[in-house]
Amino acid sequence: MGKLLVIGCGGVARVAIFKCCQNDKVFTELCIASRTKEKCDALKAELEGKTATVITTAKVDADNKAELVELIKAYQPDAVLNVALPYQDLTIMDACLECKVDYIDTANYEPENIDDPEWRAVYDKRCKEEGFTAYFDYSWQWAYKEKFADAGIMGLLGTGFDPGVTSVFSAYALKHYFDEIDTIDILDCNGGDHGYPFATNFNPEINLREVSANGSYWENGHWVETEPMEIKREYDFPEVGMKDMYLLHHEEIESLAKNIPGVKRIRFFMTFGQSYLTHMKCLENVGMLSTKPMLYEGHEVVPIQFLKALLPDPASLGPRTVGKTNIGCIFTGRKDGKERTIYIYNVCDHQECYKEVGSQAISYTTGVPAMIGTALVMTKAWHKPGVFNVEEFDPDPYMEMLNEYGLPWVVVEDPAVVE
Ligand code: NDP
């Protein structure tokens, strides 16, 4: 049916590509393009004979718009799935715009260099006006809405798990369970154990930046910002058990605040063990999380990139990670004049993911919805010109595909709530 160009060949890309190959009626042809072509070739070789999808590979620097345009023009895809890093979002969107091809991603734009004066000026203004200081926000990509609409193409933003599935859960709750939603608590629990003293489950640079930043939540029409890890709660997660969790800023809060009418409060919590937090604090205190280049014995070194080279590759955690993830949302509100609380969540087992696609559950829970969002765009089940977040579409086909492609979900009435 269609041709997909996938940019990036890391942990999330691997799962998304495996899943596209399972859905080979939609994804009849696929090109894996990344910075390191050898990784693309290795994945292609692994998939050979297991799918009817015709796979090719290419080398591309996604920071370079001209290279992207050349590749898109040569391959002529129906859509581009960006599972490289958030740093590349805008160059890939620019290339899609020039070639008039639909665009899909899993994470919103943030700059690689946060000291870039041009970016900094916009950021400082946004911090003052919006009230949160995260380095990532949707303004950069939402600014493409008109340009994409004029070009007759679509951009689907944030189709991972969170954002992505949590956003679709919100649209589904509103469609089927509530007349009005008052509060949304997004709970992201990783009960997995990889046996290393310290490792991150996805790209270390992106992960550590997110976790070491200030927290924030949306309440009564504005942002409330907290110190990093200032708000801690405990929750007894189905199939995982009792865990400590901390309030973080997270990108879907920004779009849900806009797209779920009347919502009064949205918070995001992620579980962390004490050992993870102690390691992270120590690395931060000694400057290892810095993204500023420094000179070391005549070489330019970016501390967080050097740290990334020392840490286990997230893609290598698969065989050794045991346990489960539980990610979902607790909603409160009203239906037919009655108060209601529901919890929609998915539980995913690290070892089962590994058996199926050779990855741990964090990459799996992101890669599956990346394929689903892309399939809905390519089949035109979800298609309109412009740039959209996933909660702006009918959630039902997405929810059905989650069940079909390995992320079954449950709805629980009257769950324990987070204070
Ligand atoms: P990885 O670091 O494992 O993979 C990133 C890939 O992008 C690598 O193959 C890398 O190439 C490639 N890449 C990086 N820079 C460039 C470039 N300039 N040009 C071409 N390719 C490039 O990351 P993950 O797979 O863990 O994460 C992928 C994306 O998914 C990220 O944006 C992340 O934020 C997002 N994500 C979203 C989640 C959600 O729930 N919404 C959850 C988890 C992740 P190379 O191999 O050469 O380094």
Side-chain angles (χ1 to χ4, degrees):
M1 202 202 120
K3 257 175 144 178
L4 178 67
L5 172 62
V6 180
I7 312 239
C9 192
V12 173
R14 176 186 175 84
V15 179
I17 291 164
F18 259 84
K19 288 289 164 179
C20 288
C21 290
Q22 287 177 9
N23 191 3
D24 51 22
K25 287 206 173 57
V26 170
F27 300 99
T28 43
E29 289 178 57
L30 188 148
C31 175
I32 315 169
S34 192
R35 187 166 54 186
T36 314
K37 186 171 175 285
E38 296 71 39
K39 285 192 193 170
C40 310
D41 292 334
L43 184 56
K44 172 180 150 67
E46 228 183 294
L47 283 157
E48 222 112 59
K50 292 188 186 147
T51 177
T53 305
V54 178
I55 303 174
T56 49
T57 63
K59 178 174 171 58
V60 75
D61 175 5
D63 289 320
N64 183 326
K65 183 185 156 194
E67 267 190 38
L68 286 163
V69 167
E70 196 186 329
L71 175 64
I72 296 172
K73 284 191 173 154
Y75 187 63
Q76 297 278 314
D78 298 295
V80 174
L81 169 61
N82 167 16
V83 269
L85 297 178
Y87 309 150
Q88 282 89 43
D89 286 6
L90 301 186
T91 33
I92 301 177
M93 286 180 86
D94 282 332
C96 284
L97 196 56
E98 184 165 330
C99 301
K100 295 199 173 21
V101 180
D102 293 332
Y103 167 90
I104 300 110
D105 72 23
T106 66
N108 71 6
Y109 172 68
E110 68 181 273
E112 186 157 15
N113 175 12
I114 52 166
D115 296 315
D116 171 42
E118 215 175 297
W119 174 82
R120 199 86 209 177
V122 180
Y123 168 78
D124 288 342
K125 183 166 176 280
R126 193 263 287 160
C127 289
K128 246 190 241 147
E129 285 170 5
E130 300 282 329
F132 67 94
T133 55
Y135 294 137
F136 50 87
D137 74 284
Y138 274 118
S139 64
W140 299 90
Q141 291 179 275
W142 285 342
Y144 283 71
K145 197 173 179 86
E146 257 184 56
K147 286 186 270 185
F148 267 50
D150 291 346
I153 58 169
M154 172 168 162
L156 182 67
L157 307 183
T159 181
F161 205 104
D162 41 348
V165 177
T166 52
S167 326
V168 172
F169 284 172
S170 302
Y172 187 78
L174 187 61
K175 180 172 176 184
H176 296 286
Y177 288 88
F178 292 94
D179 297 322
E180 292 148 305
I181 292 180
D182 289 335
T183 68
I184 306 175
D185 277 335
I186 303 160
L187 311 188
D188 181 330
C189 164
N190 181 8
D193 181 4
H194 46 59
Y196 284 118
F198 186 74
T200 62
N201 295 302
F202 67 97
N203 183 281
E205 200 175 329
I206 304 297
N207 185 221
L208 290 168
R209 262 196 192 186
E210 174 180 281
V211 174
S212 56
N214 284 344
S216 65
Y217 58 98
W218 178 259
E219 192 167 51
N220 296 325
H222 64 270
W223 291 93
V224 181
E225 189 151 83
T226 71
E227 291 296 311
M229 307 291 161
E230 184 185 329
I231 299 184
K232 176 186 174 187
R233 297 283 186 269
E234 278 191 328
Y235 197 78
D236 192 3
F237 288 92
E239 296 190 47
V240 176
M242 196 62 96
K243 292 275 171 199
D244 291 343
M245 59 184 192
Y246 297 83
L247 185 140
L248 300 185
H249 176 82
H250 223 245
E251 64 196 64
E252 67 267 50
I253 304 178
E254 195 188 354
S255 71
L256 291 172
K258 195 168 139 262
N259 293 325
I260 302 292
V263 65
K264 295 188 178 66
R265 190 188 69 201
I266 312 173
R267 301 182 297 185
F268 179 96
F269 291 92
M270 192 177 271
T271 61
F272 295 102
Q274 197 47 54
S275 165
Y276 180 96
L277 295 178
T278 308
H279 274 85
M280 193 184 72
K281 196 74 213 160
C282 174
L283 291 166
E284 190 180 15
N285 286 344
V286 298
M288 282 302 287
L289 302 192
S290 170
T291 53
K292 269 194 193 153
M294 58 169 287
L295 272 183
Y296 175 71
E297 295 190 347
H299 299 281
E300 196 174 84
V301 179
V302 178
I304 198 165
Q305 285 175 5
F306 180 65
L307 174 66
K308 182 183 174 198
L310 294 177
L311 290 175
D313 178 357
S316 72
L317 300 178
R320 36 187 305 146
T321 307
V322 292
K324 293 176 180 177
T325 60
N326 177 325
I327 319 176
C329 308
I330 299 175
F331 303 95
T332 69
R334 270 164 307 286
K335 179 80 177 172
D336 301 327
K338 280 199 211 120
E339 300 291 322
R340 186 172 215 184
T341 303
I342 66 160
Y343 186 14
I344 312 182
Y345 63 83
N346 159 263
V347 173
C348 198
D349 184 295
H350 284 286
Q351 278 300 303
E352 278 176 23
C353 297
Y354 186 69
K355 265 186 239 146
E356 187 194 329
V357 298
S359 301
Q360 32 81 353
I362 305 300
S363 303
Y364 191 91
T365 51
T366 311
V368 171
M371 179 283 284
I372 294 174
T374 307
L376 291 173
V377 172
M378 292 219 341
T379 56
K380 310 266 189 242
W382 280 10
H383 205 278
K384 45 188 178 179
V387 172
F388 303 94
N389 294 84
V390 288
E391 67 272 15
E392 294 178 78
F393 293 89
D394 179 7
D396 292 355
Y398 200 109
M399 294 293 273
E400 275 166 33
M401 286 181 80
L402 286 172
N403 283 331
E404 190 183 342
Y405 284 97
L407 294 177
W409 42 272
V410 285
V411 181
V412 174
E413 294 265 3
D414 292 322
V417 293
V418 182
E419 143 230 342

